[in-house]
Amino acid sequence: MLHKVSRSFGLVIQQLDTDLRNAVCIFYLVLRALDTVEDDTSIPTDVKVPILIAFHKHIYERDWHFACGSKEYKVLMDEFHHVSKAFLELEKGYQEAIEDITKRMGAGMAKFICKEVETSDDYDEYCHYVAGLVGLGLSKLFHASGSEDLALDSLSNSMGLFLQKTNIIRDYLEDINEIPKSRMFWPREIWSKYVNKLEDLKYEENSVKAVECLNDMVTNALTHVEDCLKYMAALRDPSIFRFCAIPQIMAIGTLALCYNNIEVFRGVVKMRRGLTAKVIDRTKTMADVYGAFYDFACMMKPKKL
Ligand code: D61
Ligand code: MG
C-alpha cells in the first residue's frame, strides 16, 4: 500500500532497518489517510472538521472506516483497517509518538479549513501542521529506535517546512487549475506585492511579475536550508541519514529548477528521472549533501540578472 500511495517516500522508507521501517511506514499511511480527508473537497466542512480532530482516536479502532479520496487514496481509506491493525502491533513508544503528531496535525488542519493563508506567519504555521510536525514525529521515532539523539524541535520543523514549501511552489499551476477549486497556500502577504489576484500569475501578460513573485517564494523556502543542514549533520545512522537527505536534495534540486523559471506557471516542472536516480545512488555522507546543496545553489545564482 505504501508504494501505491507514495512514489517518492516509499523508496526511502523501505531502506530503513526493520523496526523503524515498520513504524515510519505506519506513520506515513496514518498521516496520508488524514491528509486524504483534509484534501477531499467533496466532504462538507461540518463533517470534515470533527473527523480531522478525532482522527488520532480512530487509529486505535480496528474497524473504523470513512470512505473518501480517489484512486490509490480511496483504496487506502477503504482498506484502513489494515493500517489500524498494524498500528496496534507497534511498540507503545512508537504508538504514542504517532498518536501525538496525528492529534496535533488534525487539529491544525481543522483550524485552517476555515482560515486562509494570509501572512507569511500563517504560511509557516500551516506548513508546521502538515509537514513540520512530521519532522518532529520522525525525530521521536529515530530516538525511540535507539539510533539517534533527540533533535531540537526547531530543526525538525525546518526539515518539514523546506519539503512542504517546495511542493507548494512547484504545484502552483496544478492547484490553481483544480476543479472543483482547491485551496491555495501561497501567502497573500507575498503575492500581493506583485498581482491583485493569485490566479493573475498564470496569465502571459504578467510573466515578469510572476517570476519575481516565484523568486520571492523560493527565497522564502531557502531560509530553512541552514537548519536542515544542521539537522542532517547531527545524524549518525547511515540508513536514517539517507532517508532524511534524499528528499532534501530533491527539494533543493526542484527549487533550483523552479527559480526564475516561467514554466512553473505554464506546466509541470519536475526533476528529470536520471537526475533523481543519481541523487538516490550518490547520497551517502554529509559531504555528498554539502556538495549537492552547493551545486544547486550555484545553479540559482547566475539565473538572476
Ligand atoms: C525527514 C525525512 C522526511 C520528512 C521529514 C524529515 C520531515 C517532514 C516530512 C518528511 C514531511 C514532508 C511532507 C512533504 C510532502 N507534502 C505532503 O505530502 C502534503 O501533505 C502533508 C500532510 C501529510 C503528510 C504525510 C507524510 C509525508 C511524508 C512522510 C510522512 C508523512 C511520514 C514519514 C515520512 C515521510 C501534501 O500532499 C499532497 C501533495 O504533495 O501533492 C498536501 O496535501 O499539501
Ligand atoms: Mg493536504
Side-chain angles (χ1 to χ4, degrees):
M1 201 183 267
L2 176 66
H3 291 291
K4 288 204 173 108
V5 290
S6 179
R7 298 161 290 280
S8 43
F9 287 112
L11 217 93
V12 285
I13 292 174
Q14 180 174 252
Q15 53 94 48
L16 291 166
D17 293 331
T18 316
D19 243 38
L20 188 58
R21 176 174 63 210
N22 289 337
V24 172
C25 174
I26 300 308
F27 187 40
Y28 182 88
L29 292 173
V30 165
L31 297 182
R32 182 53 61 208
L34 177 66
D35 183 56
T36 301
V37 176
E38 187 209 22
D39 290 352
D40 188 328
T41 46
S42 73
I43 309 169
T45 302
D46 60 316
V47 176
K48 187 185 283 193
V49 166
I51 296 173
L52 293 175
I53 289 171
F55 205 87
H56 66 105
K57 292 185 183 146
H58 300 318
I59 54 183
Y60 288 94
E61 299 163 19
R62 233 161 229 290
D63 42 17
W64 179 82
H65 175 251
F66 182 75
C68 66
S70 61
K71 293 180 272 180
E72 59 271 27
Y73 304 110
K74 183 179 165 34
V75 178
L76 171 65
M77 298 313 289
D78 286 341
E79 310 273 283
F80 194 75
H81 59 279
H82 295 303
V83 180
S84 341
K85 183 171 182 290
F87 171 78
L88 291 166
E89 287 171 25
L90 292 175
E91 278 173 41
K92 201 88 207 110
Y94 290 137
Q95 282 184 2
E96 281 168 1
I98 294 172
E99 180 189 359
D100 173 59
I101 297 303
T102 306
K103 183 176 175 177
R104 290 157 71 183
M105 189 183 292
M109 284 172 164
K111 176 174 175 183
F112 273 88
I113 291 292
C114 321
K115 177 178 153 60
E116 277 201 61
V117 177
E118 298 278 349
T119 65
S120 11
D121 285 345
D122 293 342
Y123 183 45
D124 282 13
E125 192 189 357
Y126 177 74
C127 292
H128 165 73
Y129 294 136
V130 302
L133 285 173
V134 179
L136 268 65
L138 287 169
S139 295
K140 266 260 187 68
L141 298 179
F142 300 161
H143 183 63
S145 80
S147 311
E148 301 287 351
D149 294 335
L150 185 58
L152 286 175
D153 282 356
S154 60
L155 299 185
S156 306
N157 187 54
S158 292
M159 289 288 285
L161 262 60
F162 189 59
L163 301 179
Q164 183 66 19
K165 287 183 175 184
T166 300
N167 271 14
I168 288 174
I169 293 167
R170 184 201 58 198
D171 294 341
Y172 167 86
L173 191 67
E174 192 183 309
D175 291 345
I176 205 114
N177 285 343
E178 202 163 299
I179 307 166
K181 258 191 178 324
S182 76
R183 288 172 313 134
M184 291 303 294
F185 301 105
W186 288 40
R188 177 188 300 272
E189 192 180 317
I190 294 182
W191 61 255
S192 65
K193 291 191 268 176
Y194 306 95
V195 283
N196 293 320
K197 287 198 317 245
L198 182 54
E199 65 189 62
D200 290 347
L201 293 173
K202 72 173 172 176
Y203 303 119
E204 219 168 290
E205 64 265 31
N206 300 324
S207 294
V208 173
K209 291 285 174 203
V211 169
E212 285 172 357
C213 182
L214 172 62
N215 294 350
D216 206 335
M217 290 289 288
V218 172
T219 305
N220 170 292
L222 290 173
T223 62
H224 304 293
V225 164
E226 199 177 331
D227 278 358
C228 294
L229 292 173
K230 273 189 194 154
Y231 181 96
M232 290 184 279
L235 295 170
R236 293 182 226 234
D237 180 276
S239 80
I240 293 177
F241 177 79
R242 277 168 51 78
F243 167 76
C244 292
I246 290 168
Q248 294 289 321
I249 296 178
M250 302 293 291
I252 195 164
T254 302
L255 290 177
L257 200 60
C258 290
Y259 193 72
N260 228 30
N261 185 356
I262 191 68
E263 287 306 311
V264 172
F265 304 98
R266 303 284 178 267
V268 186
V269 174
K270 260 192 126 179
M271 272 174 54
R272 305 204 27 229
R273 269 170 182 256
L275 189 50
T276 306
K278 271 188 192 160
V279 170
I280 292 167
D281 184 57
R282 297 182 190 172
T283 304
K284 298 201 166 69
T285 69
M286 203 53 210
D288 301 330
V289 171
Y290 288 134
F293 271 68
Y294 181 79
D295 292 344
F296 286 124
C298 289
M299 287 173 59
M300 289 185 246
K301 191 175 180 188
K303 275 208 201 174
K304 209 156 150 88
L305 296 168

